[in-house]
Amino acid sequence: MAAPLTLVLVLAVTVRAVLFRSSLAELISERVEVVSPLSAWKRVVEGLALLDLGVSPYSGDVFHETPLIIYLFHFVVDYAEIVFMVTDGITAVALYLAVQNYNRNVFRKQKYALEANRYPPDCLELMRSPKEMFYIPLKVATFYLLNPFTILSCVAKSTCGLNNAVIALFILSTIKGSALLSAIFLALATYQSVYPLTLFAPALLFLLQRLYIPVNPCRSSFWLFTLQYGFMFVGSLLVIICLSFFLLGSWDFIPSVYGFILSVPDLTPNIGLFWYFFAEMFEHFRFFFICVFQINVFFYTIPLSIKLKEHPVFLIFMQIAIISIFKSYPTVGDIALYMAFLPAWSHLYRFLRNIFLVSCVLLACSALFPVLWHLWIYAGSANSNFYYAITLLFNVGQILLVSDYFYAYLRREHHLTQGLYLRRKDGSEATLVLK
Amino acid sequence: MGLLSDPNRRKALTTLLTRLNTPICVVCYLAGIAWFMGLAFEPFTLRTYMSENAMGSTMVEERFPAGERALATGREFAGHKRKAGGMPVDWLVKTMQDRGLEVFTQSFSRTLPFPDENKERYMVRGINVYGILRAPRAPRTEALVLSAPCSPDNSNNQAVGLLLGLAQYFRNQIYWAKDIIFLVNEHDLIGMQAWLEGYHHTNISGMDYTPLQGRAGSIQAALSLELSSDVITSLDLILEGLNGQLPNLDLANLFHAFCQKIGVMCTIQGKLQRSDWDTAEGYTHAVQTMMLMVLKQASGRPWGDHGLFLRYHIEAATVRGVNSFRQYKTDTTTVGRLLEGMFRKLNNLLERLHQSYFFYLMPSLSRFVSIGYYMPAFGLLATILLLRALDLWVQLGTPTEVTEDGVGEVEPVSINNQGSFDSPLTHIYIDLYSKRHSTFQMLFISGEGTEQGWRVLKLVALLYLAVLLGCTALINFSLGFILAITLVPVAACVTPHLPKAVSALAMVLLSPGCTILYCVFIFQELQEAPVSLSEGWMLFLSVISQGILDHSLFGSLVYPLLALLVYPCWLLLWNILFWK
């Protein structure tokens, strides 16, 4: 499978290289859907200039990325385009290997369950065959590399690509079972943007499952491992933060990066839900609503972890989707990461109910974003309400997509335990209704 | 979420939609056309009203006295223009300076991509002259523009004369809070584009121009004046700008309010408003006015020199004096008083005009239809595309009796052999190998020549057309609606099973090119200047060449939209018709 993957990588690099050299690159790097105040390349260049002058890059409220990023680019700023293309390649290869490993695990578990006769007899249609699963890793890598959102994000040189790479490496190391590497990459991802903290729970659940430790608060082995993993995570995070302190010599990156992400002072329009609300919020209530909106991102972890405790990889997918919908400064690069996983759930297709509506809504909104931005900012005929309407519709479409996949996953699990063709007690056919 | 999650209700709704698909589509199409035609019916429209408080009452006393002197200046201008063979720059500069303005000139040049037959120009070279009247008391942050074009033939001389007369009158007043720029532009739109690009430091059209030496602050509003006779019978207001953009409705309301106050007859699209809306003739008249506006907006070209201001978020309109065979004539002094009144009102503005509508249609000067009322007409047409797409999706989703390789439906395999270790697995694998493919995989493996293939292509074409027409209708409603009228029936009805010759003819007759041809004929009919077939054809060719020139000179989007985005869709549908 290395050859098709290499072909896809070559194609992706070609497309990006062509776009880098065209006049579209500047246009794309200014679009608010692709770059946010956190991830814009212009701001990185500004921060580098300030660093070269000997001033703290965080002065002046321009630069909001972490010190490690600025030091990375301090050395490779001349090769920035290559760095971003390589980053995309790393993400794609990491996702490829992770999904391949995951599929192998899934198939093995299915084989054991079949041999143990745990599935009802009419569930054979739901079984996954190696033929069907053979191309999934390649499809995942292709979905990530050739997704227009990823290409736009790479051509705009948005640091979202780097965030995606770290999260993809975290997923790979979790699925391979290495707790230390997983903790380190998770700490790096949390250090970059606060929200991957919610991925701690699914990673923990996966590693516990892999080590055959039951998820039971009464057992001491559970607490032992949790403490171990937590310690590794917190330790790496502290090490990275202290390293940043020593690199720059001051703590002012903490309010500039984490304070900025959590308190949302910059209300430039983007594809997220925060900007419009807070543009019209009275100061008195601002803190309350900031807390409400931020808790919204972290809130779904606990119920989802309880429901999906046997399926931690799907939980990772759901968490990444929730982060990219509800975070404070989302961009299309975040969306591209969770969309890359969709081929891994292609066996759920028969249970999806709204896929047509969702795809139409997402496609139409992606086309309408630039139109309404033009009408608002350049023509002056529309106003922010038009643009926010499309933002809302886009986010509703995404939420519908994620909840549809969730429903399909749970439904398949239900059928695998209860049987595919459901019968009522008197033997007549029954249908499953979600109330 | 009942509809989306309850499978019984969903199934009922989808079977209803697939069974009644064609009748619902026909009803939607007729309803869309009827809704659009009904927009001109007076009880369905709203009376225009002034939304901006700063322009509220028209309680100003206009005192412009010098109409005759303006006409004399215009005659002088005509003489100097004839002598100079173009723009009499020195005379204009001296005249403006005598009137106390700060005068500057700008020269520009542009080579058109191909010779323009209508205006007979190819390499255009010219000079714009403008004078700035500085506001006596205010800081120089805002400006208003009054412009008159310098036409090569004997027209618009009175406009320049009135402009200079107004400049002299305005100079003596103390109430101006904004700077006023008096602009005489050469080569109409090209000169205006050069001036605007120089003023705003942009260069989007590849024009060569000298930078502007004098500037006056951000322009709040602009009026362009076209006056070719000493007396007029009515004033015509022209609103349509580049890419179908319209100025704020408050500007039209202002014009209408002043015309009524001063007692000048005012028209829009050259048609006077009638009061007998409940008769057939009255209704037809309103429909004609509205259709003229729709056709002009759909063409995407600026219909007056004001059309290029709109792109820079400057509300602008053109006022044209018309001298026809009516009894009551209005002299230049009255026109001057009207312009003075309008400028005094615009002077009062605290912020740019934004209170009233930007998207509207006008069946007459005192009635308008806002976007909330006219969008459902387009929405009904777009619904047809979405219904057809839904129908195709359901058809693609239901499994066919026989798949491509002839394998029938799968039978459930019962595992009754518990003995051997491998046999359940081998049973399962054989079963899965021959199972029917899901629609998702079908979308990717159908190739040429299959029943499913053309359905997939049609689904993609329908969704693409829906998104394209939606985006077009948001930017330029008229263009989107006219394209929808002809393309939606084609897209909805085309299948490979139709009789090929008749359908091919129908598709060609409903293609975007023929739509432009029909629009040309209808436009000429509505203007009461019907043309014969050959003249219409020549006009059609000139419309196409003007479209290409507009795109290259001013950045009009109609030509690239039709050529790069709409025609490929039409070709996709043609491909579906001839699917083997």
Side-chain angles (χ1 to χ4, degrees):
Chain A
M1 285 291 278
L5 182 63
T6 323
L7 193 63
V8 169
L9 278 170
V10 165
L11 179 64
V13 167
T14 314
V15 170
R16 285 162 172 74
V18 163
L19 281 175
F20 268 127
R21 286 284 162 261
S22 75
S23 59
L24 287 176
E26 264 192 51
L27 222 86
I28 294 174
S29 60
E30 288 170 6
R31 292 237 44 104
V32 289
E33 296 94 8
V34 183
V35 296
S36 70
L38 278 177
S39 59
W41 177 247
K42 249 188 344 186
R43 292 176 182 252
V44 173
V45 169
E46 194 66 33
L48 280 173
L50 286 172
L51 192 67
D52 284 339
L53 286 174
V55 182
S56 155
Y58 297 103
S59 51
D61 191 35
V62 167
F63 180 67
H64 298 288
E65 268 289 354
T66 54
L68 283 183
I69 295 261
I70 204 169
Y71 266 92
L72 169 70
F73 281 112
H74 188 62
F75 297 117
V76 297
V77 69
D78 295 324
Y79 308 107
E81 296 166 0
I82 300 182
V83 167
F84 282 104
M85 287 200 274
V86 162
T87 313
D88 270 357
I90 290 176
T91 315
V93 170
L95 287 175
Y96 176 91
L97 294 171
V99 173
Q100 202 178 43
N101 208 323
Y102 170 64
N103 274 355
R104 234 176 268 149
N105 286 351
V106 160
F107 187 67
R108 206 161 29 116
K109 271 198 233 162
Q110 185 182 267
K111 196 166 81 146
Y112 291 153
L114 271 175
E115 287 164 8
N117 267 330
R118 277 221 292 272
Y119 295 134
D122 54 0
C123 281
L124 293 176
E125 293 171 35
L126 297 179
M127 294 297 118
R128 307 179 66 182
S129 68
K131 182 178 196 299
E132 171 215 328
M133 301 209 298
F134 184 65
Y135 282 109
I136 288 181
L138 184 65
K139 281 190 205 167
V140 166
T142 316
F143 254 56
Y144 184 74
L145 283 173
L146 298 180
N147 193 345
F149 290 157
T150 326
I151 297 179
L152 283 177
S153 196
C154 181
V155 172
K157 295 200 274 230
S158 157
T159 57
C160 186
L162 293 169
N163 289 2
N164 286 356
V166 173
I167 296 181
L169 286 169
F170 153 72
I171 295 175
L172 176 64
S173 51
T174 311
I175 292 187
K176 288 273 191 206
S178 156
L180 178 66
L181 273 179
S182 159
I184 291 176
F185 280 121
L186 185 63
L188 210 56
T190 312
Y191 164 76
Q192 289 272 81
S193 67
V194 181
Y195 301 105
L197 180 62
T198 56
L199 292 172
F200 180 84
L204 184 65
L205 285 171
F206 184 88
L207 292 166
L208 283 172
Q209 198 185 61
R210 203 185 146 89
L211 294 173
Y212 301 108
I213 301 175
V215 183
N216 194 341
C218 308
R219 306 283 291 261
S220 64
S221 50
F222 167 71
W223 286 112
L224 198 64
F225 187 77
T226 311
L227 277 173
Q228 266 183 323
Y229 189 65
F231 184 69
M232 283 193 278
F233 169 66
V234 172
S236 341
L237 192 59
L238 280 175
V239 164
I240 296 172
I241 290 184
C242 290
L243 183 64
S244 314
F245 169 68
F246 284 120
L247 275 177
L248 279 185
S250 70
W251 290 110
D252 57 359
F253 73 96
I254 292 196
S256 282
V257 180
Y258 306 118
F260 187 80
I261 295 176
L262 291 175
S263 69
V264 193
D266 187 320
L267 296 174
T268 319
N270 50 46
I271 58 175
L273 300 163
F274 281 65
W275 59 277
Y276 189 80
F277 267 77
F278 289 98
E280 51 181 41
M281 186 74 61
F282 288 119
E283 275 303 311
H284 185 73
F285 300 108
R286 194 163 206 277
F287 182 63
F288 171 66
F289 278 99
I290 289 273
C291 292
V292 167
F293 274 68
Q294 296 288 6
I295 288 174
N296 193 29
V297 186
F298 296 97
F299 182 72
Y300 299 101
T301 316
I302 301 177
L304 280 176
S305 308
I306 295 175
K307 184 73 188 172
L308 290 172
K309 49 173 194 275
E310 266 112 52
H311 315 285
V313 178
F314 192 75
L315 181 59
I316 290 183
F317 164 71
M318 294 274 309
Q319 280 293 9
I320 294 178
I322 286 172
I323 290 174
S324 40
I325 298 171
F326 293 112
K327 71 192 279 198
S328 43
Y329 295 102
T331 61
V332 292
D334 301 307
I335 296 172
L337 184 63
Y338 80 79
M339 280 202 177
F341 276 98
L342 294 182
W345 321 119
S346 56
H347 61 283
L348 298 174
Y349 182 77
R350 60 184 291 170
F351 297 116
L352 290 173
R353 292 165 310 164
N354 297 322
I355 196 71
F356 180 62
L357 180 68
V358 164
S359 345
C360 287
V361 163
L362 290 179
L363 275 171
C365 286
S366 313
L368 283 174
F369 269 122
V371 169
L372 283 167
W373 180 260
H374 170 84
L375 276 180
W376 174 22
I377 301 287
Y378 294 106
S381 312
N383 53 33
S384 59
N385 300 327
F386 290 69
Y387 193 75
Y388 193 61
I390 300 300
T391 306
L392 272 179
L393 197 59
F394 190 69
N395 283 321
V396 164
Q398 284 187 74
I399 293 172
L400 202 59
L401 174 75
V402 168
S403 57
D404 215 14
Y405 268 95
F406 189 39
Y407 166 81
Y409 195 87
L410 289 178
R411 179 139 172 211
R412 181 173 176 268
E413 294 302 314
H414 178 92
H415 281 309
L416 284 178
T417 47
Q418 308 284 359
L420 186 54
Y421 299 104
L422 305 167
R423 303 243 168 272
R424 293 210 190 109
K425 290 198 180 62
D426 56 1
S428 59
E429 190 160 342
T431 47
L432 209 53
V433 176
L434 183 71
K435 279 253 181 278
Chain B
M1 285 285 277
L3 197 58
L4 287 174
S5 58
D6 186 357
N8 295 329
R9 274 192 263 174
R10 276 170 76 91
K11 209 199 287 269
L13 186 67
T14 25
T15 40
L16 187 75
L17 284 176
T18 39
R19 227 165 12 105
L20 294 179
N21 206 312
T22 318
I24 295 183
C25 286
V26 170
V27 165
C28 277
Y29 188 75
L30 295 173
I33 305 276
W35 188 296
F36 182 73
M37 300 308 273
L39 289 174
F41 191 50
E42 194 156 304
F44 296 158
T45 59
L46 292 170
R47 185 164 270 284
T48 54
Y49 54 94
M50 197 68 96
S51 296
E52 173 70 52
N53 282 334
M55 296 206 306
S57 65
T58 48
M59 294 287 288
V60 251
E61 190 67 46
E62 297 91 20
R63 290 199 206 94
F64 178 68
E68 292 307 314
R69 213 179 322 157
L71 289 176
T73 319
R75 281 192 283 275
E76 239 185 279
F77 171 73
H80 280 93
K81 187 167 68 171
R82 242 191 325 267
K83 215 172 19 182
M87 172 88 103
V89 179
D90 300 319
W91 178 85
L92 260 178
V93 167
K94 183 173 173 308
T95 319
M96 281 191 182
Q97 272 173 344
D98 287 343
R99 279 154 173 75
L101 308 177
E102 290 177 21
V103 190
F104 306 95
T105 61
Q106 178 202 31
S107 49
F108 60 92
S109 74
R110 176 82 157 100
T111 309
L112 274 57
F114 52 86
D116 183 357
E117 309 273 299
N118 288 15
K119 299 211 171 81
E120 276 150 35
R121 56 189 180 190
Y122 178 50
M123 288 181 38
V124 175
R125 201 174 289 273
I127 300 182
N128 293 329
V129 178
Y130 66 103
I132 306 180
L133 170 65
R134 298 283 180 194
R137 290 200 234 166
R140 292 147 185 214
T141 45
E142 292 173 350
L144 297 169
V145 173
L146 178 64
S147 83
C150 167
S151 314
D153 52 4
N154 210 18
S155 58
N156 283 326
N157 299 325
Q158 286 83 351
V160 177
L162 184 58
L163 180 136
L164 293 170
L166 280 172
Q168 183 158 32
Y169 178 71
F170 285 174
R171 185 71 177 85
N172 296 329
Q173 311 306 321
I174 54 167
Y175 43 69
W176 296 113
K178 305 191 198 320
D179 294 345
I180 305 186
I181 304 177
F182 294 93
L183 167 67
V184 180
N185 55 317
E186 198 175 357
H187 297 297
D188 49 88
L189 284 167
I190 300 182
M192 186 60 89
Q193 175 76 4
W195 189 82
L196 280 169
E197 283 189 352
Y199 200 87
H200 293 99
H201 306 294
T202 59
N203 197 336
I204 31 184
S205 68
M207 182 122 33
D208 262 320
Y209 56 84
T210 56
L212 294 186
Q213 306 293 328
R215 215 175 165 277
S218 108
I219 304 177
Q220 305 291 88
L223 276 179
S224 178
L225 190 59
E226 290 180 18
L227 199 58
S228 301
S229 53
D230 286 354
V231 285
I232 57 164
T233 51
S234 61
L235 282 173
D236 195 34
L237 182 70
I238 305 172
L239 294 171
E240 298 83 14
L242 186 66
N243 287 329
Q245 200 177 350
L246 299 169
N248 199 302
L249 190 57
D250 268 340
L251 202 57
N253 298 339
L254 183 70
F255 174 76
H256 186 58
F258 269 100
C259 283
Q260 288 195 312
K261 180 186 178 201
I262 289 187
V264 181
M265 207 181 297
C266 52
T267 61
I268 192 166
Q269 319 300 343
K271 292 196 185 297
L272 193 63
Q273 183 175 357
R274 286 166 71 127
S275 50
D276 54 344
W277 55 266
D278 43 359
T279 61
E281 293 89 28
Y283 173 70
T284 331
H285 188 85
V287 167
Q288 282 174 347
T289 316
M290 197 178 75
M291 280 308 297
L292 272 172
M293 179 168 185
V294 164
L295 287 170
K296 282 189 181 173
Q297 198 185 10
S299 70
R301 45 194 314 255
W303 286 84
D305 286 356
H306 72 287
L308 298 170
F309 279 93
L310 297 168
R311 185 173 26 200
Y312 296 93
H313 203 163
I314 301 170
E315 310 310 325
T318 297
V319 174
R320 176 182 294 164
V322 170
N323 191 10
S324 62
F325 301 105
R326 275 185 224 273
Q327 239 182 342
Y328 190 71
K329 306 271 186 195
T330 312
D331 63 352
T332 320
T333 314
T334 321
V335 177
R337 289 223 173 113
L338 187 132
L339 289 171
E340 177 200 349
M342 284 183 78
F343 265 83
R344 285 193 69 172
K345 279 289 153 190
L346 290 171
N347 184 39
N348 288 344
L349 283 177
L350 298 166
E351 42 186 353
R352 284 184 201 267
L353 288 169
H354 67 281
Q355 297 280 12
S356 189
Y357 298 92
F358 285 100
F359 296 107
Y360 49 89
L361 290 176
M362 298 190 86
S364 68
L365 199 50
S366 66
R367 298 239 152 221
F368 76 101
V369 182
S370 73
I371 184 171
Y373 285 97
Y374 68 59
M375 252 330 173
F378 176 79
L380 284 167
L381 292 181
T383 314
I384 298 176
L385 293 174
L386 295 175
L387 283 174
R388 276 280 184 230
L390 191 65
D391 183 39
L392 275 172
W393 179 263
V394 169
Q395 276 178 25
L396 283 171
T398 52
T400 53
E401 296 306 311
V402 178
T403 54
E404 295 157 42
D405 44 11
V407 180
E409 297 228 355
V410 68
E411 313 98 37
V413 175
S414 61
I415 309 176
N416 46 19
N417 186 350
Q418 303 287 342
S420 108
F421 194 69
D422 285 315
S423 61
L425 301 175
T426 37
H427 271 274
I428 293 161
Y429 292 142
I430 294 171
D431 176 51
L432 286 167
Y433 188 77
S434 64
K435 86 175 167 90
R436 58 173 190 258
H437 298 286
S438 68
T439 315
F440 188 66
Q441 287 161 322
M442 188 77 84
L443 283 175
F444 284 94
I445 59 173
S446 339
E448 286 248 48
T450 62
E451 259 302 299
Q452 305 292 75
W454 71 263
R455 288 204 164 90
V456 172
L457 189 62
K458 187 169 172 184
L459 182 65
V460 169
L462 283 172
L463 290 176
Y464 170 71
L465 189 65
V467 170
L468 179 68
L469 286 179
C471 292
T472 311
L474 272 177
I475 297 186
N476 185 347
F477 165 76
S478 312
L479 183 63
F481 191 73
I482 289 178
L483 284 175
I485 292 182
T486 48
L487 284 176
V488 163
V490 170
C493 301
V494 72
T495 63
H497 307 303
L498 297 173
K500 299 272 197 258
V502 175
S503 332
L505 184 66
M507 268 196 84
V508 169
L509 285 178
L510 289 175
S511 67
C514 286
T515 313
I516 301 179
L517 188 63
Y518 306 146
C519 287
V520 167
F521 278 111
I522 295 176
F523 185 70
Q524 290 300 118
E525 277 289 331
L526 290 172
Q527 294 242 307
E528 282 151 29
V531 288
S532 66
L533 217 58
S534 59
E535 278 172 28
W537 178 256
M538 297 309 295
L539 211 56
F540 167 68
L541 292 176
S542 87
V543 162
I544 293 189
S545 73
Q546 281 296 311
I548 302 177
L549 276 176
D550 278 347
H551 167 65
S552 140
L553 285 175
F554 315 121
S556 157
L557 292 173
V558 176
Y559 167 68
L561 178 82
L562 285 177
L564 293 175
L565 294 174
V566 174
Y567 251 105
C569 188
W570 186 85
L571 285 173
L572 269 181
L573 297 170
W574 181 267
N575 200 5
I576 293 174
L577 180 65
F578 286 100
W579 196 263
K580 245 181 283 298

